[in-house]
Amino acid sequence: MQYKLISENELVDYIKCNLRDIDIDMVLRAIEIAEIAHKNQRRDSGEAYITHPLNVAFILAQLHCDTDTICAGILHDTVEDTSLTSYDIKTHFNSDIQNLVEGVTKLDTYQYKRNKDQLERQAENFRKLLIYTVKDYRVLLLKLADRLHNMRTLQYVSPEKSYKIASETLEIYAPLANRFGLALIRWELEDLAFKYLQPEEYRKIVDMVVMKRHEREQFIQACVTPVKSALLSENLEAEVYGRSKHFYSIYKKHIKKKISYNDIYDLAAIRIITKSVEDCYRVLGIIHSIFQPLEKRFKDYISRPKANHYQSLHSIVLTDKGKKIEFQIRTLEMHKIAEEGIAAHWKYKEKDIKLNIDFENQIKSIRKLLNKDFLSGQQFIEDLKSSLIANEIIIITPNGDLVKLQEHSTLLDFAFAIHSDIGLTCIGGRVNGKFVPLKTELKNGDKVYIITNSTAKPSIDWLQYVKTNKARSEVRSYFKKKAMEDSIIIGKELFEKRIRKSIYKYKKEVDILLLARNFKLFNLDDFYSALGNGKLDFQNIISYLENKDNTEVVVPGPKTDKEEITEHDIIYLDDINNLMLKFAKCCNPKPGDDIVGYVTRGKGITIHRTDCTNSNFKKIEMEEAFRLFKISWSKQAFKNKSRTLKICGEYNNAVHYEIVKTLTSFNVNVISNKFNVGGIDFSCIIKYDNKHFKNIKLLINQLKKIKGINKVTDKK
């Protein structure tokens, strides 16, 4: 694809000829200021930098945007790349243009307080974009125009950078354009991204389309002629024309249908633009009288519009020569919305065409995404992508109600769409009368009945099944709540055990609550949870109690998720009932290893080595970091240099070997080992150096599991 760079004069001439409501003097002032600001700057292509903002403004002008948006397009890089400030923009123009420029500038110049990796920065960029879009959706138009021109000139950047930009464009910017109905921008973004991501496939399709152009034009004309004749005889006014499919849509069909490019029938489609909705259905009847409609290949997006308000009738028919072709039938109003979406507001607001575009639902969905509590940037990006790329399917309830879900949704997604409680207690269901499991993918038109059980509980595996943001959010919330409940139990036990060992007496809830308030925690659950997950160190409580009469003492509150946990925030194994502990088999932590505690769902704490390489543990670190807390083997070593273990039980041939094996696995430095057998009984006296081992309780518990051992005691 070759693109002509638009000059200043061409931009101004286009605006004068096509946009009567634009303040051309303001546009000229914006161009003058931008030219001065970018005077000595060059693009990667070697061209003067001003060519980029001029072409961005031209794209916005083609969308018939207003004066402020076009001026913001001209000025959008000045605050980021030149000495011009946001205040200067407001001084020379107005606060609307200032806010539009800030909307795209802050995406890249936001200063982070902490060093974040590339994914976190990318997530923050998109959060900013969505925040400003919610405030003023012209920011999105400006950002898409900027991205479109950058994609048109992507050949001038390095292959590595072009691949990254193209991937981001295909995964996020093109779906964003689609979400707001900007089909023309979406199609071009997709084709350009496809060109850089799959160059060989792109070239194959281009060559095939060029080679078959004459054949395709003849085929379209053969279909259009009888339709035009029939419309004329019925006194129906309509515009009829053929259109070629976009390269990326051809590629997707090739992948989805697993057929060769030569076998893809609908490289082109015929579009019919009518005057009214009634005419759309009349035209459909005429087409079906001329050509044989294919069963299940008809879609009525007029009565059931897509989420982005796309409306049209789609019907694939069979010609007399056995070839298939798609007809798309819509009104002029529907056509403008389909191609220009939200931008159609400006183009037609002063004309007779009345547009019923309500994008509030799209804004609401973005607000919901922004209000979610994400554990990581990757989780935010994944949810953003899934919410943008989804096509819709219609599911029918037993009562005949219609429920919209995104494509590829499962039975579990449907259950959560009905009600959160139904989703959380769902155990299966019937689809079109047949019993199916939770992970069953639903299809358009399925009739679904959900089966629940009040005692059922969600599984962490559900996160692999669900596709919708609502279902995923509900499952995560459930386990986050469960994790808090577990941490409350751990924290309460830790507090009660440690406070008993101290000189301070806190048994009444009212006294504990008063203590908690000194750490900015205003209910007992939050207090115990902070102790249980390591955000509040018990030593801070002791320090406060020792110094509470000192008015200058600074009381540290619980750590937030963004604050770094230091060595002083560690929970020690001695402070937790050993019955709640379990050691991970994947990394087999031993005394002396660096370890971390994972609060499981109802099964206490699992101890992992911090360098555990198990894939499931890595997934926990990424997706459930809030369930992890620092932990250590013991807070204090025993004072004596050596201690003695006495082990008694019933003798068997393996018992001595198992004892030695266990001591070795715990890295215990054995000083002496006396093993005596008397009849069927045995006793073993082990003297060991405690400098290398700090938590005898764990060793005793492990020894008691050995077959034949009845009693283990530890003495100084």
Side-chain angles (χ1 to χ4, degrees):
M1 301 179 197
Q2 296 293 326
Y3 297 97
K4 179 180 180 296
L5 285 175
I6 300 300
S7 66
E8 173 186 339
N9 291 335
E10 288 171 314
L11 172 62
V12 173
D13 288 343
Y14 180 87
I15 293 174
K16 287 180 178 179
C17 293
N18 297 279
L19 307 177
R20 64 181 183 180
D21 297 325
I22 299 300
D23 184 342
I24 197 66
D25 291 334
M26 186 181 290
V27 171
L28 289 171
R29 190 161 74 252
I31 293 173
E32 180 183 4
I33 291 174
E35 284 180 334
I36 295 171
H38 292 297
K39 184 177 181 180
N40 298 317
Q41 295 177 345
R42 294 275 169 185
R43 301 201 82 212
D44 291 331
S45 61
E47 296 155 342
Y49 195 89
I50 190 62
T51 59
H52 171 61
L54 287 175
N55 279 269
V56 170
F58 184 73
I59 293 170
L60 294 168
Q62 288 179 306
L63 292 172
H64 287 240
C65 293
D66 60 2
T67 300
D68 288 348
T69 310
I70 292 173
C71 288
I74 297 168
L75 299 162
H76 77 275
D77 276 337
T78 53
V79 173
E80 181 181 337
D81 294 333
T82 76
S83 59
L84 211 64
T85 66
S86 178
Y87 179 77
D88 293 333
I89 300 292
K90 183 178 180 181
T91 302
H92 286 95
F93 299 95
N94 57 51
S95 58
D96 277 356
I97 296 178
Q98 176 195 30
N99 291 333
L100 288 171
V101 173
E102 281 188 354
V104 290
T105 300
K106 287 193 174 182
L107 300 177
D108 300 313
T109 62
Y110 182 76
Q111 297 297 314
Y112 298 94
K113 295 180 180 179
R114 301 177 63 203
N115 293 326
K116 296 185 178 181
D117 60 21
Q118 187 175 1
L119 192 62
E120 293 294 331
R121 291 195 297 273
Q122 184 191 34
E124 197 63 36
N125 284 340
F126 285 119
R127 277 196 190 94
K128 290 292 176 183
L129 174 60
L130 297 181
I131 288 170
Y132 276 92
T133 297
V134 167
K135 293 178 180 177
D136 187 341
Y137 48 68
R138 291 178 297 176
V139 171
L140 178 62
L141 293 174
L142 178 54
K143 187 61 182 177
L144 289 173
D146 173 52
R147 176 53 61 113
L148 180 56
H149 185 252
N150 281 331
M151 288 298 297
R152 288 175 176 177
T153 56
L154 201 58
Q155 69 268 30
Y156 298 109
V157 304
S158 67
E160 181 181 353
K161 187 175 180 181
S162 66
Y163 188 90
K164 175 181 174 297
I165 293 172
S167 298
E168 187 179 68
T169 298
L170 188 62
E171 292 174 352
I172 295 180
Y173 285 106
L176 262 176
N178 180 56
R179 171 61 71 90
F180 285 88
L182 296 158
L184 292 176
I185 289 182
R186 168 207 170 185
W187 291 330
E188 189 175 344
L189 287 176
E190 285 181 341
D191 282 353
L192 287 167
F194 177 44
K195 176 181 178 181
Y196 289 95
L197 295 174
Q198 300 276 358
E200 292 184 6
E201 296 297 316
Y202 176 84
R203 179 48 53 192
K204 285 180 186 177
I205 296 175
V206 171
D207 292 344
M208 179 201 60
V209 169
V210 171
M211 183 176 63
K212 289 193 171 187
R213 178 177 295 165
H214 181 67
E215 176 187 339
R216 186 172 64 254
E217 289 174 351
Q218 283 186 325
F219 174 60
I220 289 174
Q221 189 59 41
C223 295
V224 166
T225 300
V227 172
K228 283 185 174 180
S229 177
L231 293 177
L232 184 62
S233 65
E234 293 290 332
N235 293 319
L236 269 172
E237 291 185 35
E239 182 183 359
V240 185
Y241 60 92
R243 55 172 288 271
S244 297
K245 289 293 182 74
H246 298 278
F247 300 148
Y248 185 62
S249 66
I250 296 172
Y251 172 73
K252 285 196 297 183
K253 183 152 290 188
H254 159 69
I255 296 298
K256 184 177 181 180
K257 301 290 185 180
K258 297 181 180 178
I259 55 179
S260 70
Y261 293 127
N262 289 326
D263 293 331
I264 296 176
Y265 60 86
D266 55 348
L267 293 177
I270 296 174
R271 185 169 290 157
I272 302 177
I273 310 298
T274 71
K275 284 190 171 182
S276 68
V277 173
E278 181 184 355
D279 286 350
C280 288
Y281 289 98
R282 289 178 63 194
V283 169
L284 178 68
I286 291 172
I287 291 170
H288 285 179
S289 69
I290 300 173
F291 305 105
Q292 179 185 343
L294 292 180
E295 190 178 354
K296 296 183 180 179
R297 302 310 299 271
F298 167 68
K299 295 179 181 178
D300 186 349
Y301 292 122
I302 292 180
S303 61
R304 294 178 182 175
K306 290 186 177 182
N308 63 2
H309 294 269
Y310 174 87
Q311 289 183 290
S312 187
L313 298 177
H314 289 194
S315 182
I316 296 176
V317 300
L318 201 63
T319 68
D320 54 0
K321 293 184 179 181
K323 291 186 176 181
K324 300 171 186 175
I325 184 123
E326 182 183 54
F327 282 88
Q328 299 173 354
I329 311 164
R330 62 184 69 152
T331 66
L332 180 60
E333 177 183 333
M334 294 173 189
H335 179 62
K336 297 305 178 185
I337 295 174
E339 298 216 329
E340 300 171 15
I342 203 169
H345 278 299
W346 289 281
K347 190 172 182 179
Y348 299 100
K349 64 182 178 180
E350 298 296 335
K351 297 189 177 182
D352 294 335
I353 298 175
K354 184 179 179 182
L355 298 179
N356 297 315
I357 308 176
D358 178 15
F359 287 96
E360 192 57 35
N361 287 335
Q362 308 301 338
I363 298 298
K364 284 181 181 177
S365 66
I366 290 176
R367 283 198 183 101
K368 286 181 181 178
L369 189 68
L370 292 171
N371 289 333
K372 287 183 182 178
D373 184 16
F374 291 98
L375 301 177
S376 66
Q378 179 177 353
Q379 189 183 101
F380 174 81
I381 293 292
E382 288 175 355
D383 273 25
L384 173 60
K385 288 178 183 177
S386 66
S387 68
L388 291 176
I389 65 174
N391 291 320
E392 285 186 341
I393 57 175
I394 303 295
I395 305 302
I396 306 170
T397 70
N399 296 328
D401 296 327
L402 304 181
V403 177
K404 287 185 178 181
L405 290 175
Q406 69 184 52
E407 195 175 21
H408 306 301
S409 292
T410 63
L411 183 75
L412 202 50
D413 289 302
F414 177 74
F416 278 106
I418 299 301
H419 196 280
S420 299
D421 290 341
I422 292 177
L424 293 172
T425 57
C426 180
I427 59 172
R430 291 197 300 266
V431 176
N432 303 323
K434 295 181 179 180
F435 286 97
V436 296
L438 296 175
K439 60 183 178 182
T440 301
E441 186 174 309
L442 302 178
K443 296 179 181 178
N444 195 47
D446 281 345
K447 188 171 183 179
V448 180
Y449 176 81
I450 296 297
I451 301 171
T452 61
N453 186 323
S454 59
T455 62
K457 295 180 181 179
S459 164
I460 193 65
D461 293 335
W462 285 13
L463 289 173
Q464 301 175 31
Y465 305 155
V466 294
K467 306 298 180 184
T468 60
N469 289 331
K470 174 178 172 58
R472 190 178 294 110
S473 177
E474 292 286 356
V475 175
R476 285 176 180 154
S477 295
Y478 171 84
F479 285 115
K480 190 171 183 179
K481 181 181 178 181
K482 189 68 174 63
M484 183 172 183
E485 291 172 354
D486 292 343
S487 64
I488 289 171
I489 294 171
I490 294 168
K492 185 175 182 181
E493 182 179 344
L494 185 151
F495 177 79
E496 291 174 350
K497 191 168 185 178
R498 281 200 173 185
I499 206 71
R500 281 199 302 268
K501 294 179 180 179
S502 73
I503 61 173
Y504 305 101
K505 303 302 177 185
Y506 280 85
K507 292 184 178 180
K508 295 181 179 180
E509 286 191 356
V510 63
D511 294 333
I512 301 173
L513 184 58
L514 290 172
L515 176 64
R517 288 177 178 175
N518 291 285
F519 297 89
K520 301 177 182 178
L521 296 164
F522 301 100
N523 64 68
L524 290 181
D525 283 350
D526 288 346
F527 177 65
Y528 290 137
S529 177
L531 278 170
N533 61 30
K535 291 181 179 179
L536 176 62
D537 181 17
F538 186 83
Q539 187 57 44
N540 290 342
I541 297 174
I542 295 299
S543 297
Y544 166 75
L545 293 173
E546 290 174 348
N547 298 281
K548 64 179 181 179
D549 294 331
N550 185 348
T551 57
E552 295 182 1
V553 68
V554 178
V555 180
K559 299 281 188 296
T560 66
D561 288 339
K562 293 185 177 179
E563 289 184 281
E564 183 180 355
I565 304 295
T566 68
E567 291 302 316
H568 296 292
D569 302 300
I570 296 173
I571 294 175
Y572 296 92
L573 292 183
D574 276 344
D575 296 309
I576 304 170
N577 186 331
N578 287 331
L579 294 177
M580 298 183 68
L581 296 175
K582 182 174 67 174
F583 290 88
K585 295 180 181 179
C586 51
C587 55
N588 191 24
K590 297 180 177 62
D593 292 338
D594 291 330
I595 53 176
V596 63
Y598 169 55
V599 181
T600 64
R601 297 167 182 84
K603 297 180 181 179
I605 302 171
T606 299
I607 309 301
H608 286 264
R609 284 170 45 178
T610 54
D611 60 354
C612 178
T613 58
N614 181 273
S615 58
N616 288 332
F617 180 70
K618 292 297 181 184
K619 187 177 180 181
I620 288 169
E621 285 186 309
M622 183 176 296
E623 298 182 0
E624 299 184 90
F626 62 90
R627 303 178 74 89
L628 299 175
F629 60 92
K630 284 200 172 186
I631 199 164
S632 184
W633 294 99
S634 177
K635 191 173 182 181
Q636 293 180 341
F638 294 105
K639 294 182 180 180
N640 295 333
K641 291 185 178 181
S642 65
R643 293 178 72 93
T644 300
L645 277 175
K646 184 175 181 180
I647 306 170
C648 302
E650 297 177 3
Y651 177 74
N652 62 69
N653 292 332
V655 69
H656 196 194
Y657 168 77
E658 291 296 334
I659 292 172
V660 174
K661 180 182 175 182
T662 301
L663 294 172
T664 303
S665 70
F666 273 77
N667 294 328
V668 176
N669 185 17
V670 177
I671 299 172
S672 64
N673 179 357
K674 296 180 180 180
F675 191 87
N676 299 310
V677 180
I680 62 171
D681 297 325
F682 82 91
S683 65
C684 184
I685 307 297
I686 298 170
K687 189 175 182 180
Y688 66 95
D689 186 345
N690 73 16
K691 289 187 296 182
H692 302 290
F693 185 70
K694 299 179 180 180
N695 199 322
I696 190 62
K697 294 179 183 179
L698 299 174
L699 176 59
I700 291 174
N701 281 349
Q702 198 65 27
L703 288 169
K704 285 180 178 179
K705 294 178 182 180
I706 297 174
K707 183 179 179 181
I709 292 179
N710 297 328
K711 186 177 180 180
V712 181
T713 56
D714 174 56
K715 296 181 180 180
K716 294 182 180 180

